[in-house]
Amino acid sequence: MSPLAAILLLLVVAKGLGELLERAGFPSMIGEIAAGVFLGPAMLGIIEPGETLEIFADIGLIVLLFMSGAQLNLRTFARSGKAGAMVAGTAVAIPLAAGMVLGVVSGFDIIHALFIGIALSITSIGISVRTLIDLRQLKSDIGLLVVSAAVIDDVIGIVLLGFLTAFVTGEGYGSGIFIMIILVIFFFGLVLTIGKRVIIWLFQVSHKAHTHEMPYSVALICGLLCALAANEAGLHYAIGAFIAGLILGDGIRSDRSLYDSLSDLAFGFFVTLFFASIGLLFPPSFAEVPLVFMVLLVAVAFGSKILGGFLGSLRMLKDPRRSLVVGYGMVPRGEVALVVTKVSLTAGLITTALFSAVTLMIIITVFATPFLMVRGFASLQ
Amino acid sequence: MSPLAAILLLLVVAKGLGELLERAGFPSMIGEIAAGVFLGPAMLGIIEPGETLEIFADIGLIVLLFMSGAQLNLRTFARSGKAGAMVAGTAVAIPLAAGMVLGVVSGFDIIHALFIGIALSITSIGISVRTLIDLRQLKSDIGLLVVSAAVIDDVIGIVLLGFLTAFVTGEGYGSGIFIMIILVIFFFGLVLTIGKRVIIWLFQVSHKAHTHEMPYSVALICGLLCALAANEAGLHYAIGAFIAGLILGDGIRSDRSLYDSLSDLAFGFFVTLFFASIGLLFPPSFAEVPLVFMVLLVAVAFGSKILGGFLGSLRMLKDPRRSLVVGYGMVPRGEVALVVTKVSLTAGLITTALFSAVTLMIIITVFATPFLMVRGFASLQ
């Protein structure tokens, strides 16, 4: 099937299933991922993941995070940063430790145990942000806390991955990790000083352009540029796109027609392809997975993240029920964990059985998150 | 360079050069194509054309023609159809004949002469439509005439190509051509009866969807679907996308925010990538091209199309100056001619020298068209 036909088919089925789920009272995201599972290697095998689809999915994640950032601004987000860091701390440390213990107890060596711990510790910004948007809770205090924790979580996760890589390649974890951390600091330093000014200036200038669509193009260009810069610094596209959105948030929201237009581009096209592409990554078979380990892995995945989010936010929110919702919000593992798992399999680091187990765990957390969140927010009313 | 970085770079340079040209009083399209020439194999060689970029360019052409169709509707377009057919008739026949004569006189055999004739006879819908949009003349009587002639021209061109292929493969031109014509008739029959009703119904239903962006997605889906269907029937994507736009025109224009949103998607992102990608197709060297033949080819390219458009529209417009503008509008050769030329080179049908000559001719017509049109419309005031 030609890439264009694949894009069309994914879009049709994802939008259709998304609408069905939405009517049934669940976030449409579930339907979109299900479309990918249904059409991809896991079931019908009509559409294979490939380079072109991956680019569309990457742009989907970028515009998703860009538009999430654009609903806030740097100040709002910075306010929730300290509390977010605390949540991220416990929501990374507890799953990491629990995953490693599970690995060792299950008879894996230290590298495999570290892999399991890391796979459990990275929350998916994409899934948690989309769920919050679908539930109209992105700008609530719980929403803000989850997003800021997920962003910081992702940065920590990337550094942890560096450790794993250093471990595996045996290069020691001196200089490599050091350079990585320097790059990350350099990225944030650059974007939040000069980058910020250049982006705001560009956006202002774009309104004076003779070509009518210039502000739209410039907003997209800034999102893509920051995403690529983050990627060059070793971070995930999502982080850069989110920061670009935060920087331009006030400007974009003050122009309703621009905001709507970018929102349509995101949720009417690219974001849908991102979620459908996640579905395409699901493997065709889980036959090799040992059942007991699988059950334990899923239990640890849910338990440790919910506990981490709960404990980290309790002091700030002072309400166990609200802290529990933060815990639910940290549950989904997604694109980063899937990529890590796939890369580890290809590198020969992990067996197919472990690969399938971790992938299945990721799927279950992704599908469960919207249900947990709906329930959690309902319990607060 | 990663495809995502290439897309970003093309977008930045194309939008920048487009803005410069626009400020200098010329259509921004010229700047966008120049960006591709500048970054591509013809000059800097930073960006190579590839599958992923091609898909973005295809979507660009599809949304360009879809949005062009959406500015009109089936009735308006059908009214200009008869006059358009007359213009298309002369604007294909004269360049075809002139090109074949030029080929034979220059010492080429009959197949090469036929190739030259066909390359000269297919007007680029994309270039002529974009020029008309940039000059705000798409809905004028001259604009309508040029577009309908270009669409019919394209259909005739595709059939002619079928003849060329049949000639070359030596399969005879009985059954192949017959099936092709049946497929084209079947496509138009299907789209304009059942297809039209299904598309209008889908679009109406989409407004009742629970997911907010559904009309936007459904409009895109209809455009892509018709484009792919046209392609399956042996026609160009552009034709299908244009018809889908005509069908949904009234519906889309009655929802200003939807119209603006789709327009931003087209002209703020994909269409720019389409024109920049045309620039990428320009070959690095024209050294082998014999000068005298080249000059004759360009002269015939301009003269025959202008004459064809002029003669075909004279009876309807009853004003030689206005008919001359129609002739100018038929001048650009573009994406289809470039593809035909490239395919013919790859198949060993034509030499590199002929390939370069025809490509250079296409480039010159593309860059000259906006200047001719600006002048032509100015002469009418």
Side-chain angles (χ1 to χ4, degrees):
Chain A
M1 182 174 289
S2 77
L4 203 53
I7 287 168
L8 177 62
L9 187 59
L10 273 180
L11 197 61
V12 170
V13 178
K15 279 287 163 198
L17 290 181
E19 173 69 17
L20 278 181
L21 267 287
E22 184 95 16
R23 290 195 178 212
F26 303 112
S28 48
M29 176 184 86
I30 301 283
E32 296 176 4
I33 300 176
V37 178
F38 185 64
L39 295 168
M43 290 181 68
L44 291 183
I46 304 175
I47 298 175
E48 294 287 326
E51 196 207 49
T52 300
L53 271 179
E54 209 179 285
I55 300 290
F56 279 85
D58 286 344
I59 297 180
L61 181 64
I62 289 170
V63 291
L64 170 64
L65 268 291
F66 181 75
M67 289 313 289
S68 308
Q71 293 187 36
L72 318 167
N73 62 32
L74 274 177
R75 246 167 304 115
T76 325
F77 188 72
R79 267 205 298 274
S80 64
K82 206 175 153 193
M86 207 181 290
V87 174
T90 51
V92 165
I94 296 176
L96 181 66
M100 288 184 72
V101 169
L102 174 67
V104 172
V105 168
S106 308
F108 289 104
D109 63 19
I110 187 72
I111 291 183
H112 285 87
L114 184 60
F115 164 78
I116 296 171
I118 292 174
L120 287 180
S121 67
I122 309 176
T123 291
S124 162
I125 314 184
I127 309 277
S128 56
V129 158
R130 173 71 190 266
T131 310
L132 288 165
I133 291 175
D134 280 354
L135 300 177
R136 293 166 204 281
Q137 292 285 357
L138 184 67
K139 291 159 101 170
S140 68
D141 53 351
I142 291 178
L144 276 173
L145 199 53
V146 169
V147 176
S148 63
V151 168
I152 298 165
D153 178 318
D154 206 276
V155 177
I156 303 175
I158 299 284
V159 176
L160 285 176
L161 267 181
F163 276 101
L164 182 67
T165 315
F167 243 125
V168 173
T169 58
E171 283 177 9
Y173 30 107
S175 63
I177 298 287
F178 182 71
I179 290 173
M180 214 179 75
I181 293 174
I182 293 287
L183 267 176
V184 168
I185 293 172
F186 180 73
F187 167 77
F188 281 106
L190 192 72
V191 169
L192 294 174
T193 55
I194 304 170
K196 187 178 134 188
R197 280 178 205 186
V198 171
I199 287 172
I200 290 176
W201 175 78
L202 261 179
F203 186 69
Q204 279 168 347
V205 165
S206 75
H207 285 84
K208 292 176 198 142
H210 288 212
T211 33
H212 169 254
E213 305 75 20
M214 201 54 104
Y216 182 88
S217 301
V218 165
L220 274 181
I221 285 169
C222 292
L224 288 170
L225 190 63
C226 282
L228 281 167
N231 196 242
E232 286 298 312
L235 291 164
H236 199 252
Y237 291 132
I239 306 274
F242 184 70
I243 296 177
L246 286 177
I247 293 173
L248 288 178
D250 292 338
I252 291 176
R253 266 177 292 110
S254 69
D255 181 344
R256 191 71 214 171
S257 122
L258 176 63
Y259 180 85
D260 286 345
S261 222
L262 288 168
S263 203
D264 282 345
L265 172 81
F267 299 102
F269 187 64
F270 281 114
V271 172
T272 302
L273 293 175
F274 166 67
F275 284 103
S277 291
I278 287 190
L280 289 184
L281 294 178
F282 290 180
S285 151
F286 295 102
E288 295 171 81
V289 181
L291 189 67
V292 178
F293 174 71
M294 191 66 236
V295 171
L296 285 172
L297 183 68
V298 171
V300 170
F302 279 85
S304 63
K305 267 285 175 187
I306 295 175
L307 187 64
F310 178 82
L311 290 180
S313 63
L314 200 52
R315 204 170 136 196
M316 187 212 177
L317 296 176
K318 295 182 188 70
D319 177 350
R321 284 181 314 160
R322 287 155 61 80
S323 286
L324 199 59
V325 182
V326 173
Y328 293 159
M330 299 302 288
V331 162
R333 317 319 195 269
E335 59 289 353
V336 177
L338 278 171
V339 169
V340 169
T341 312
K342 199 136 206 179
V343 168
S344 303
L345 178 71
T346 315
L349 174 65
I350 58 172
T351 60
T352 332
L354 187 52
F355 168 79
S356 299
V358 172
T359 307
L360 193 53
M361 175 277 288
I362 295 170
I363 298 172
I364 295 173
T365 63
V366 166
F367 278 107
T369 301
F371 296 95
L372 285 173
M373 297 280 273
V374 167
R375 226 189 159 134
F377 279 113
S379 78
L380 300 181
Q381 280 159 0
Chain B
M1 181 173 291
S2 76
L4 203 54
I7 287 168
L8 177 62
L9 187 60
L10 273 181
L11 197 61
V12 170
V13 178
K15 279 287 165 198
L17 290 181
E19 174 69 17
L20 279 182
L21 267 285
E22 184 96 15
R23 288 196 179 212
F26 303 112
S28 47
M29 176 184 87
I30 301 282
E32 296 176 5
I33 300 176
V37 178
F38 185 64
L39 296 168
M43 290 180 69
L44 292 183
I46 304 174
I47 298 176
E48 295 287 325
E51 196 207 48
T52 301
L53 271 179
E54 209 179 286
I55 301 290
F56 278 85
D58 285 344
I59 297 181
L61 181 64
I62 290 169
V63 291
L64 169 64
L65 268 292
F66 182 74
M67 289 313 289
S68 308
Q71 293 188 35
L72 317 167
N73 62 32
L74 274 177
R75 246 168 302 118
T76 325
F77 189 71
R79 266 206 299 275
S80 63
K82 205 176 154 191
M86 206 181 290
V87 174
T90 52
V92 166
I94 297 176
L96 180 67
M100 289 185 72
V101 169
L102 173 68
V104 171
V105 168
S106 307
F108 289 103
D109 64 21
I110 187 71
I111 291 184
H112 285 86
L114 184 60
F115 164 78
I116 297 171
I118 291 174
L120 286 180
S121 67
I122 308 176
T123 291
S124 162
I125 314 184
I127 308 277
S128 56
V129 157
R130 173 72 189 266
T131 310
L132 288 165
I133 290 174
D134 281 353
L135 300 176
R136 292 164 205 282
Q137 293 284 356
L138 184 65
K139 292 159 100 169
S140 68
D141 53 351
I142 291 178
L144 276 173
L145 199 53
V146 168
V147 176
S148 62
V151 168
I152 298 165
D153 177 317
D154 207 275
V155 177
I156 303 175
I158 299 283
V159 176
L160 286 175
L161 267 180
F163 276 102
L164 182 68
T165 316
F167 244 126
V168 173
T169 57
E171 281 177 11
Y173 31 106
S175 63
I177 297 288
F178 182 71
I179 291 173
M180 214 180 76
I181 293 173
I182 293 288
L183 267 175
V184 168
I185 293 172
F186 181 72
F187 167 77
F188 282 105
L190 192 72
V191 169
L192 294 174
T193 56
I194 304 170
K196 187 179 134 187
R197 280 177 205 185
V198 171
I199 287 174
I200 290 175
W201 175 80
L202 261 178
F203 186 70
Q204 279 168 346
V205 165
S206 74
H207 285 85
K208 292 175 201 143
H210 288 211
T211 33
H212 169 252
E213 306 75 20
M214 200 54 103
Y216 182 88
S217 302
V218 165
L220 275 181
I221 285 169
C222 292
L224 289 170
L225 190 62
C226 282
L228 281 167
N231 197 242
E232 285 298 312
L235 292 165
H236 198 252
Y237 291 132
I239 306 275
F242 183 71
I243 296 177
L246 286 177
I247 293 173
L248 288 178
D250 293 337
I252 291 177
R253 266 176 292 111
S254 68
D255 181 345
R256 189 74 213 169
S257 125
L258 176 64
Y259 180 85
D260 286 346
S261 223
L262 288 169
S263 201
D264 282 345
L265 171 81
F267 299 103
F269 186 66
F270 281 114
V271 173
T272 301
L273 292 176
F274 165 67
F275 284 104
S277 291
I278 286 191
L280 289 183
L281 293 178
F282 290 179
S285 149
F286 294 102
E288 294 170 82
V289 181
L291 189 66
V292 178
F293 174 70
M294 191 64 236
V295 172
L296 285 173
L297 182 67
V298 171
V300 170
F302 280 84
S304 63
K305 267 288 177 189
I306 295 175
L307 187 64
F310 178 82
L311 291 180
S313 63
L314 200 52
R315 204 170 137 195
M316 186 214 177
L317 296 176
K318 296 184 186 68
D319 177 352
R321 284 180 314 159
R322 287 157 59 80
S323 286
L324 199 58
V325 182
V326 173
Y328 293 160
M330 299 302 289
V331 162
R333 314 323 193 268
E335 58 289 354
V336 176
L338 279 171
V339 169
V340 169
T341 312
K342 200 138 206 178
V343 169
S344 303
L345 178 71
T346 315
L349 174 65
I350 58 172
T351 61
T352 333
L354 187 52
F355 168 78
S356 299
V358 172
T359 308
L360 194 53
M361 174 277 289
I362 294 170
I363 299 172
I364 295 173
T365 63
V366 166
F367 278 107
T369 302
F371 296 96
L372 284 174
M373 298 280 272
V374 167
R375 228 195 157 128
F377 279 113
S379 79
L380 300 181
Q381 279 159 358

